[in-house]
Amino acid sequence: MSATDLAPVAPLPDRGGPQQPLVIARDLRRHFPIRSGFFGRRTGTVHAVDGVSFEVVKGETLGIVGESGCGKSTTARLLVGLIALDEGDIIFDGDRLGDQLSLRELRRGVQMVFQDSYASLNPRLTIEDSIAFGPKVHGMGEGQARRRARELLASVGLEPARFAGRYPHELSGGQRQRVNIARALAMAPRLVILDEAVSALDKSVEAQVLNLLADLKEERDLTYVFISHDLNVVRYISDRVMVMYLGEVVEIGPAEAVYARKAHPYTAALFAAMPSMDPDARTEEPPLAGDPPNPIDPPTGCRFHTRCRFAEAVCAAVKPALASVPGEARGGEARAEAHVAACHMLVAGSGHSAAGGAA
Amino acid sequence: MTKPLVDIRDLSVTFSGERTVHAVNGLDLSLPPGEVLAILGESGSGKSVTLKTLLRLLPPRRTAISGMIAVDGVDVLSLSGRRLADYRGGTVSMVFQEPMLALDPVYSIGDQIAEAVMRHEGLGRRAAMERALDMLTRVRIPSPERRLKVFPHEMSGGMRQRAMIALALACRPKLLLADEPTTALDATVQIQILLLLRELQREFGMGVIFVTHDIGVAVEVADRIAVMYAGNVVETGTVAEVIRDARHPYTKGLLAANLHGAVKGARLEAIRGAPPALERPPEACSFAPRCDFADERCRTAPPPMIVPGPGRRVACVLADRLEAAE
Ligand SMILES: Nc1ncnc2c1ncn2[C@@H]1O[C@H](COP(=O)(O)OP(=O)(O)OP(=O)(O)O)[C@@H](O)[C@H]1O
Ligand SMILES: Nc1ncnc2c1ncn2[C@@H]1O[C@H](COP(=O)(O)OP(=O)(O)OP(=O)(O)O)[C@@H](O)[C@H]1O
Ligand code: SF4
Ligand code: SF4
Ligand SMILES: [Mg+2]
Ligand SMILES: [Mg+2]
């Protein structure tokens, strides 16, 4: 396809060059008030995303994992501009949201695909109209938007002649999720956030959609943020992985390094909780007891200390900062290669007995 | 050979109404007492319908059921009235993915368990409350005395799941039906519940049929696996047999798609296409449109049930040939 043919919704140009991260998220914070009673008095605050920083490198897939309610979707919604930040900065290809980049421009560059393929499609629109809708809102003519919709249907593996006129209820779950992907791509985004986008699909169909995502990424120079609770899928698809716990980042690094080291005790527990695939080596002890704590009143210090088997006094008193995971630091490594985790055991002189003396 | 606890023969379930669905098509299944069977299969393959039929939960007016179901020697399809009520919650009980389906929002957890015990075992209120406390302790709900008085909405997700299990097991059923009871839970809570179920199953010696679409979950809880496709069992065997030596092309595809140990960047072996709509009863192998090995035989008649070993069944024309090739 030629870019001129598809104007005015053409891909945004690469402005900052390959070294510039596509996204820099700096100290993102988003709290939600809890209201209750007849007058809706504010009775508490959910610390959904609480000081989260990370980068998304151009062309990579960043996987995000963590328990339910740890803030994965809220982080994603902040990145797409679906909800407003309380604090922090989002820098998209060098331009800061707010002063250098409008919300409208951000939404062009970042698209999101959700888990629930049914709820995110309008049941009264044919799938062709659903896909053409976004470009038309952004000023594309009727005929051109239709052409683009059909071309996208073909590229997600749905033959336009057979599928264009169908309504969402006439498709299977896997087919609907393909439509959602096509709809996200219709805006020619540079970053696609996939929030549990394959989680509701059957295993046999999930593999088809993962193959499709890989092809589209290649063809269209896309960057992905991939959120899932399935650690096998995240490992397969991600270049780097970020682990969240109760609104914070506890570990981030290259996928293989995180999977091999599991430097943060929560990461280790999460991985150990994966069902075994070996009938002769079934899990005998649950790695963690109890449910995750309530994000309304998160624990002090390290938020994991209430469930961590290595917790000591310092853990409840002092919040650990992200520190480089020892044994892997190489001189002059690129930031994208860094492997960091937020645990007192990794910092000499932190006061944790497993950490060693002063730095 | 011991008499099976569950014996299902040639079961078919068809829904009529706005559209016709042949949800279960000639299913055979049996479960010895004290064994855990995992039913594995994708969405719409008939897993929940099979469990609901076992518990007689389907709307009678729109459902046509044929075949035979015996549980603990009782002909389930002929039960009605008082005997059906005794069977449900007495001989057999069920846990669901969504605990609010099983728990009543307006009664405390303790009252609900006690009520069930009084109804099924005729115990007095005091003894029934003691049983309730014992059950909450067994499912490891912290501070169980206090939790007796708590309402379902006042508990966390993992805790509600435990309360539902306590309710389901309070009357010591011979058979527990579990329909994806851990699918909505976090990984760290899911494994706790799976291990708890395994422990209680051993302690009470009950039979369990556990429905899941997660192979890893099946490996953690089950002795045997039955793989369902389009309303029928296409393969059964011990967990190790099915995981290490799958014979049916659908089971093989499912195992490959699990991504356990998939190599990054390599293409995944995906099963193409989608499962059938089940508007008509199958007249051939239901998997044929998606199967790489399908030939004329597969498209003209239902596949034979091959028995490659004791307790092992595979519904595929190739199952014996694959074995012969080894
Ligand atoms: N609009 C909202 N109002 C109030 N609380 C909210 C809102 N959105 C999210 N939350 C809360 O913020 C926390 C983080 O939610 P979020 O959806 O980001 O979690 P998640 O990691 O995506 O979880 P899951 O794995 O279940 O999707 C949760 O406690 C959630 O209940
Ligand atoms: N009460 C009903 N009336 C009509 N059709 C039904 C009814 N219950 C189930 N079905 C249909 O029967 C088929 C089998 O459904 P079932 O719920 O057993 O699937 P399942 O294997 O449990 O899938 P899932 O993994 O999605 O829970 C589906 O096509 C479903 O739509
Ligand atoms: S800081 Fe302490 S409580 Fe937190 S993960 Fe490390 S050892 Fe555990
Ligand atoms: S019977 Fe034929 S179509 Fe069916 S699974 Fe076996 S080879 Fe494939
Ligand atoms: Mg979410
Ligand atoms: Mg079901």
Side-chain angles (χ1 to χ4, degrees), chain B residues 155-206:
Chain B
M155 310 179 107
S156 71
M159 205 83 87
R160 270 205 289 269
Q161 218 72 20
R162 288 171 193 271
M164 176 173 61
I165 292 169
L167 174 62
L169 301 189
C171 298
R172 306 287 189 271
K174 292 189 173 132
L175 175 64
L176 177 70
L177 305 177
D179 196 353
E180 313 221 24
T182 61
T183 303
L185 299 175
D186 279 321
T188 61
V189 181
Q190 163 170 291
I191 195 77
Q192 296 173 31
I193 301 286
L194 292 178
L195 296 189
L196 174 70
L197 275 172
R198 218 161 78 188
E199 183 189 309
L200 293 172
Q201 183 272 332
R202 243 180 265 142
E203 210 172 298
F204 294 171
M206 55 187 174

Side-chain angles (χ1 to χ4, degrees), chain B residues 10-68:
Chain B
D10 199 22
L11 178 71
S12 293
V13 181
T14 306
F15 297 106
S16 54
E18 234 172 86
R19 53 187 197 107
T20 301
V21 182
H22 294 266
V24 176
N25 302 295
L27 175 132
D28 289 316
L29 201 65
S30 80
L31 178 80
E35 190 175 281
V36 183
L37 173 78
I39 299 186
L40 198 64
E42 57 196 17
S43 189
S45 58
K47 305 182 297 295
S48 298
V49 168
T50 303
L51 291 198
K52 285 180 187 158
T53 312
L54 265 167
L55 209 50
R56 293 277 309 278
L57 288 175
L58 294 169
R61 285 187 44 232
R62 295 191 300 106
T63 318
I65 303 177
S66 66
M68 192 279 298

Side-chain angles (χ1 to χ4, degrees), chain B:
Chain B
M1 214 178 108
T2 50
K3 208 160 68 72
L5 174 63
V6 180
D7 193 5
I8 303 179
R9 295 217 194 134
D10 199 22
L11 178 71
S12 293
V13 181
T14 306
F15 297 106
S16 54
E18 234 172 86
R19 53 187 197 107
T20 301
V21 182
H22 294 266
V24 176
N25 302 295
L27 175 132
D28 289 316
L29 201 65
S30 80
L31 178 80
E35 190 175 281
V36 183
L37 173 78
I39 299 186
L40 198 64
E42 57 196 17
S43 189
S45 58
K47 305 182 297 295
S48 298
V49 168
T50 303
L51 291 198
K52 285 180 187 158
T53 312
L54 265 167
L55 209 50
R56 293 277 309 278
L57 288 175
L58 294 169
R61 285 187 44 232
R62 295 191 300 106
T63 318
I65 303 177
S66 66
M68 192 279 298
I69 301 179
V71 174
D72 198 25
V74 173
D75 177 3
V76 173
L77 295 179
S78 71
L79 288 176
S80 63
R82 175 77 218 179
R83 289 181 55 228
L84 181 58
D86 286 345
Y87 167 77
R88 286 185 191 143
T91 314
V92 184
S93 63
M94 184 150 168
V95 289
F96 303 85
Q97 179 172 337
E98 180 39 70
M100 290 314 251
L101 282 177
L103 299 172
D104 191 328
V106 302
Y107 293 102
S108 73
I109 297 297
D111 281 345
Q112 293 187 49
I113 298 177
E115 171 62 30
V117 175
M118 293 189 306
R119 198 174 55 222
H120 284 287
E121 296 187 15
L123 291 189
R125 183 160 175 87
R126 217 201 162 102
M129 264 302 173
E130 262 160 41
R131 173 77 65 83
L133 178 61
D134 172 55
M135 286 313 299
L136 292 191
T137 314
R138 282 174 190 268
V139 299
R140 292 206 208 88
I141 287 183
S143 3
E145 287 90 356
R146 191 165 61 74
R147 287 306 192 329
L148 280 175
K149 300 187 195 72
V150 149
F151 292 88
H153 70 268
E154 296 173 302
M155 310 179 107
S156 71
M159 205 83 87
R160 270 205 289 269
Q161 218 72 20
R162 288 171 193 271
M164 176 173 61
I165 292 169
L167 174 62
L169 301 189
C171 298
R172 306 287 189 271
K174 292 189 173 132
L175 175 64
L176 177 70
L177 305 177
D179 196 353
E180 313 221 24
T182 61
T183 303
L185 299 175
D186 279 321
T188 61
V189 181
Q190 163 170 291
I191 195 77
Q192 296 173 31
I193 301 286
L194 292 178
L195 296 189
L196 174 70
L197 275 172
R198 218 161 78 188
E199 183 189 309
L200 293 172
Q201 183 272 332
R202 243 180 265 142
E203 210 172 298
F204 294 171
M206 55 187 174
V208 178
I209 301 182
F210 192 109
V211 158
T212 177
H213 57 255
D214 186 332
I215 299 170
V217 167
V219 172
E220 288 287 5
V221 296
D223 303 310
R224 300 172 59 79
I225 292 180
V227 181
M228 278 188 80
Y229 189 80
N232 222 325
V233 171
V234 295
E235 176 155 11
T236 54
T238 64
V239 171
E241 283 165 347
V242 173
I243 297 291
R244 299 198 182 121
D245 181 27
R247 298 294 178 91
H248 195 281
Y250 173 68
T251 314
K252 290 183 183 184
L254 212 54
L255 284 163
N258 187 48
L259 299 191
H260 190 84
V263 180
K264 202 197 298 301
R267 282 194 87 67
L268 299 171
E269 275 177 54
I271 304 175
R272 61 198 148 80
L278 301 175
E279 281 149 359
R280 276 172 297 141
E283 280 156 10
C285 175
S286 301
F287 191 59
R290 306 175 74 187
C291 181
D292 288 337
F293 307 101
D295 62 22
E296 220 21 60
R297 286 176 300 169
C298 311
R299 295 189 196 94
T300 45
M305 188 58 81
I306 309 278
V307 183
R312 194 114 165 72
R313 290 189 303 148
V314 185
C316 171
V317 293
L318 294 181
D320 50 348
R321 209 173 73 204
L322 287 174
E323 191 190 31
E326 272 167 25

Side-chain angles (χ1 to χ4, degrees), chain A residues 56-341:
Chain A
V56 187
V57 180
K58 282 178 184 159
E60 78 168 342
T61 297
L62 174 70
I64 305 183
V65 300
E67 270 164 312
S68 182
C70 69
K72 303 181 296 293
S73 297
T74 305
T75 303
R77 285 162 185 273
L78 290 170
L79 288 185
V80 205
L82 272 177
I83 52 175
L85 281 167
D86 291 340
E87 274 173 54
D89 288 316
I90 291 174
I91 298 162
F92 187 79
D93 203 5
D95 295 330
R96 190 164 66 172
L97 176 65
D99 47 0
Q100 293 157 323
L101 184 80
S102 72
L103 199 56
R104 192 181 160 87
E105 287 168 310
L106 179 74
R107 287 185 186 155
R108 277 273 329 275
V110 187
Q111 288 287 313
M112 189 154 163
V113 180
F114 298 92
Q115 168 170 4
D116 191 341
S117 62
Y118 210 73
S120 38
L121 287 172
N122 184 334
R124 284 186 300 275
L125 292 186
T126 64
I127 61 174
E128 179 182 22
D129 289 337
S130 270
I131 299 168
F133 186 81
K136 282 199 286 190
V137 168
H138 277 79
M140 193 185 269
E142 176 77 28
Q144 208 178 27
R146 229 163 251 293
R147 271 205 302 286
R148 171 173 284 194
R150 287 176 170 255
E151 175 202 289
L152 281 165
L153 276 175
S155 68
V156 297
L158 298 174
E159 199 187 314
R162 270 179 68 202
F163 288 97
R166 292 206 194 173
Y167 290 88
H169 73 266
E170 297 173 303
L171 301 179
S172 73
Q175 291 169 338
R176 275 198 301 268
Q177 204 54 299
R178 287 167 185 266
V179 173
N180 276 311
I181 292 167
R183 203 175 52 148
L185 295 180
M187 301 302 292
R190 296 179 63 197
L191 175 65
V192 180
I193 300 181
L194 299 138
D195 188 357
E196 305 278 8
V198 295
S199 306
L201 302 178
D202 285 317
K203 280 288 156 201
S204 71
V205 178
E206 178 185 77
Q208 296 170 4
V209 175
L210 289 173
N211 281 338
L212 169 69
L213 288 172
D215 293 343
L216 293 170
K217 181 164 185 279
E218 185 88 349
E219 273 166 42
R220 290 162 193 256
D221 272 331
L222 296 170
T223 301
Y224 288 155
V225 169
F226 189 91
I227 299 173
S228 174
H229 60 261
D230 186 330
L231 299 174
N232 286 330
V233 174
V234 170
R235 176 184 210 161
Y236 168 77
I237 200 165
S238 306
D239 300 299
R240 290 191 311 133
V241 172
M242 172 163 120
V243 185
M244 293 183 70
Y245 188 76
L246 280 185
E248 297 180 333
V249 176
V250 296
E251 181 163 357
I252 183 165
E256 287 316 311
V258 172
Y259 277 63
R261 279 295 305 275
K262 306 173 196 93
H264 194 282
Y266 172 67
T267 311
L270 190 62
F271 280 73
M274 273 167 82
S276 156
M277 282 296 289
D278 181 356
D280 294 329
R282 305 207 293 192
T283 309
E284 293 303 333
E285 274 297 317
L288 287 181
D291 292 0
N294 192 331
I296 294 173
D297 196 7
T300 57
C302 173
R303 289 188 176 173
F304 189 53
H305 84 256
T306 53
R307 301 169 88 194
C308 180
R309 62 195 179 97
F310 304 108
E312 295 182 2
V314 62
C315 301
V318 181
K319 183 191 284 296
L322 283 171
S324 123
V325 174
E328 288 176 40
R330 292 179 298 268
E333 68 188 0
R335 267 178 308 185
E337 295 297 309
H339 180 189
V340 293

